[in-house]
Amino acid sequence: MRHSRATLVLISFSRPDNDSYQVTIQDNGHGINYSREGSHGVLGMQERVQVDGGQFNIQSNKIGTLVSARWSKEAEIK
């Protein structure tokens, strides 16, 4: 929230179907500045999700960011 200046953050954990789990984080901040040198936070999140066999998705613009990660229930979370 500090960098994005978000005033609202929503975090959800769900089972979209019987075979998977999903974590979603959404805020109303000003988006992610991908050009910021030395910023590896998003890449680090993506790598950790994929190492555990999950799918990672991020959508960001000037009115907020939506990050979601989804794993099959058989995935071994490390």
Side-chain angles (χ1 to χ4, degrees):
M1 290 177 55
R2 181 179 74 188
H3 296 293
S4 72
R5 294 195 170 100
T7 59
L8 177 67
V9 177
L10 302 172
I11 302 171
S12 68
F13 180 80
S14 62
R15 290 193 64 191
D17 53 54
N18 288 333
D19 296 324
S20 64
Y21 299 97
Q22 183 166 321
V23 175
T24 304
I25 304 166
Q26 183 174 8
D27 73 26
N28 66 345
H30 60 71
I32 294 174
N33 180 357
Y34 293 102
S35 65
R36 199 174 95 205
E37 195 171 319
S39 177
H40 302 289
V42 172
L43 180 60
M45 286 188 289
Q46 181 178 13
E47 288 174 350
R48 286 190 294 274
V49 169
Q50 290 175 340
V51 161
D52 292 331
Q55 299 171 340
F56 180 84
N57 186 37
I58 188 164
Q59 299 171 343
S60 184
N61 57 38
K62 293 180 181 181
I63 60 170
T65 300
L66 174 67
V67 176
S68 64
R70 186 173 180 161
W71 297 267
S72 70
K73 71 177 186 181
E74 287 85 25
E76 184 178 325
I77 307 297
K78 297 173 178 97

